[in-house]
Amino acid sequence: MSRLLITHAKALLGTHTAGTDLVRGSRMAQLPLIENGWLLAEKGRITALGPMDDMPEVPEGPDLTVIDASGRLVLPGWCDPHTHTVFAAPREEEFVDKIKGLSYQDIAAKGGGIVNSARKLRAMHEDDLYELAHHRLVEMMRLGTVAVEIKSGYGLTTESELKMLRVARRLKENLPLQVRTTLLAAHALPPEFANDRAGYIRLITDTLIPQVAAEGLADFVDVFCETNYFTVAEMEAVLAAGNAHGLPGKVHVNQFTSIGAIEAAVKHRALSVDHLEVMEPSDLQALAHATSGPIPTLLPSCSFFLRIPYGPARQLIDRDLPIALATDFNPGTTPSGNMNLVLSLACIQLRMLPEEAVNAMTLNSAAAMRVHDELGSLTVGKRASLLITKPVPSLAFLPYAFGNDHLDTVLIDGTPVRSGTAFA
Ligand code: NIG
Ligand code: FE
């Protein structure tokens, strides 16, 4: 479809002015909007929008689709900047162990966890991995996700890490949503390197990073910097090698313990620091003192699933920092790629205002995966990747009535990937 006209929207939300890269601190509570609005998309891009009173004559024609969005909200599509969507199998047996009282660390100690996922992924054919991840992403698009970051990290060998990234590249080529990819070879120490930590880090810095950079297989690098996983010094080596090859860091830090990873991530100009469930005053200070430092990215559905603390959203906002939100979709800590649930948890558990949460999962999350020039707001020139809700009383109703499906239509580049009654 080459032209799409949305009329009579109850509100167009997230109409940030061109050039707004992200919002921080108290500005996060301002979600610009146009009440009773219209929006025109041509060839997949937003070309004009405004209030109904000022709508110009739009020439009719067979290429024009008109959607009457009376009573409905129109929002930028969700950008999910932290996922592990390519994996071989779910781990619901560990879920049952957790119900019986085992912790994430207990499960890893008895051979479960990341290494369990790696065993299965190594044995799986690339085509089967692709089919499984394709299915998950189709469901995520139906739930409103228009851009996704996908990490490797369940291969933990050169061959299997590259296999994961090739699967992600095929998904990017074949699906309409925007995909960015991250090399997370430093996710867990593979059993083969149990007695040679330094050798594994060297494999990442000297072989994998140069190769994925040369083949354009990854946009970013990541490290699970955590007690019993990788040290701050090991993370620094990976971040330095990533920077040398044009791959900025997006790192797992402060999920269970605070070991100085944030300060190091700031030093190495990481694009984002993700998780942040366990934060010491020095960690907050390191972030607050960084000028254009990493974007704090919170993953409340991981906290929900593991029953661990929630990230300190209010303290970050009070320090004039931006926040991005993501699902962390993975088989171990967050078996859900649903950004609508993230919206509810952000409001209920992180105490973010609905406006703050929507900015965090559109504009700021687009910035946390470097797609903010194209996505994250209803702005002329950006991709027409947007959500049309069912008739709802207000924005706050979306997170408030949690667990319900409030979306009617999802458009990616002006084309519906889900069309509801708004099309009738
Ligand atoms: O983001 N924390 C490290 N990585 C994932 C979990 C990986 C797994 O358990 O499979 C996370 O929570
Ligand atoms: Fe993660």
Side-chain angles (χ1 to χ4, degrees):
M1 134 188 3
S2 63
R3 285 187 304 150
L4 177 92
L5 177 65
I6 300 172
T7 67
H8 301 95
K10 184 184 180 80
L12 304 173
L13 296 168
T15 54
H16 290 280
T17 51
T20 310
D21 287 346
L22 105 191
V23 284
R24 58 176 66 243
S26 58
R27 279 207 52 204
M28 285 195 66
Q30 291 163 30
L31 183 66
L33 66 109
I34 296 173
E35 283 175 356
N36 194 21
W38 63 276
L39 180 147
L40 180 67
E42 295 171 279
K43 297 196 181 113
R45 298 270 166 177
I46 299 171
T47 50
L49 51 82
M52 285 307 291
D53 295 346
D54 292 343
M55 190 170 87
E57 193 74 29
V58 176
E60 286 192 19
D63 66 327
L64 182 70
T65 303
V66 181
I67 298 180
D68 180 343
S70 297
R72 304 169 191 275
L73 300 175
V74 178
L75 300 104
W78 308 136
C79 296
D80 187 348
H82 180 141
T83 85
H84 310 247
T85 305
V86 175
F87 58 88
R91 305 209 305 255
E92 69 274 20
E93 65 290 346
E94 295 179 6
F95 169 64
V96 175
D97 282 343
K98 277 190 212 101
I99 295 170
K100 291 179 183 160
L102 267 60
S103 70
Y104 185 72
Q105 289 82 351
D106 296 335
I107 288 165
K110 59 172 216 170
I114 295 166
V115 173
N116 173 4
S117 281
R119 210 177 306 121
K120 292 178 183 147
L121 185 134
R122 288 177 183 184
M124 188 172 271
H125 192 277
E126 197 164 318
D127 293 345
D128 297 327
L129 264 181
Y130 172 83
E131 285 310 322
L132 289 168
H134 187 277
H135 183 79
R136 291 178 197 123
L137 286 169
V138 166
E139 178 65 8
M140 286 162 78
M141 290 191 290
R142 214 188 61 80
L143 293 168
T145 298
V146 302
V148 66
E149 181 257 16
I150 301 176
K151 300 174 191 298
S152 69
Y154 291 126
L156 312 181
T157 61
T158 305
E159 185 196 311
S160 294
E161 287 291 302
L162 293 174
K163 175 167 79 173
M164 288 187 78
L165 293 173
R166 281 195 304 266
V167 167
R169 179 162 66 187
R170 262 168 83 191
L171 295 163
K172 177 179 182 158
E173 285 164 1
N174 295 338
L175 286 166
L177 85 172
Q178 292 294 298
V179 175
R180 294 293 179 270
T181 53
T182 300
L183 175 70
L184 174 57
H187 198 191
L189 190 66
E192 298 80 1
F193 283 87
N195 297 314
D196 186 15
R197 300 185 65 84
Y200 189 56
I201 297 297
R202 265 197 314 277
L203 174 72
I204 297 172
T205 56
D206 299 2
T207 304
L208 265 169
I209 289 179
Q211 188 171 346
V212 303
E215 291 184 31
L217 276 172
D219 304 291
F220 309 107
V221 294
D222 192 351
V223 177
F224 186 18
C225 187
E226 182 60 61
T227 309
N228 295 333
Y229 290 84
F230 291 97
T231 65
V232 173
E234 289 164 344
M235 178 185 78
E236 292 203 59
V238 174
L239 289 178
N243 281 335
H245 288 87
L247 309 179
K250 285 173 65 61
V251 286
H252 284 74
V253 295
N254 295 53
Q255 184 175 6
F256 301 106
T257 54
S258 165
I259 56 175
I262 293 191
E263 209 182 322
V266 168
K267 185 171 110 195
H268 288 273
R269 302 184 313 282
L271 174 61
S272 70
V273 283
D274 302 27
H275 276 289
L276 318 185
E277 288 89 346
V278 176
M279 295 285 277
E280 296 295 334
S282 57
D283 295 314
L284 286 163
Q285 228 161 33
L287 279 177
H289 288 162
T291 41
S292 66
I295 300 174
T297 300
L298 302 182
L299 314 167
S301 34
C302 174
S303 298
F304 174 68
F305 185 79
L306 290 184
R307 296 184 206 93
I308 61 174
Y310 285 84
R314 296 273 33 118
Q315 293 184 54
L316 294 165
I317 291 173
D318 286 348
R319 284 167 178 74
D320 200 35
L321 289 160
I323 292 175
L325 289 163
T327 60
D328 196 16
F329 190 13
N330 76 77
T333 72
T334 321
S336 161
N338 187 344
M339 285 292 272
N340 306 286
L341 175 65
V342 169
L343 173 61
S344 283
L345 290 172
C347 295
I348 297 164
Q349 298 285 8
L350 302 179
R351 291 181 175 268
M352 293 176 76
L353 296 168
E355 292 81 2
E356 291 172 331
V358 169
N359 275 323
M361 50 202 279
T362 54
L363 190 62
N364 287 3
S365 57
M369 57 187 288
R370 295 239 171 115
V371 295
H372 53 286
D373 288 344
E374 302 254 290
L375 291 165
S377 62
L378 302 185
T379 305
V380 169
K382 286 197 179 182
R383 292 176 184 271
S385 295
L386 45 92
L387 315 177
I388 304 174
T389 68
K390 294 172 182 167
V392 287
S394 66
L395 169 63
F397 186 81
L398 302 180
Y400 155 85
F402 71 93
N404 290 312
D405 180 9
H406 301 299
L407 300 183
D408 177 88
T409 292
V410 179
L411 297 154
I412 295 187
D413 296 347
T415 300
V417 295
R418 166 180 177 178
S419 37
T421 55
F423 265 92

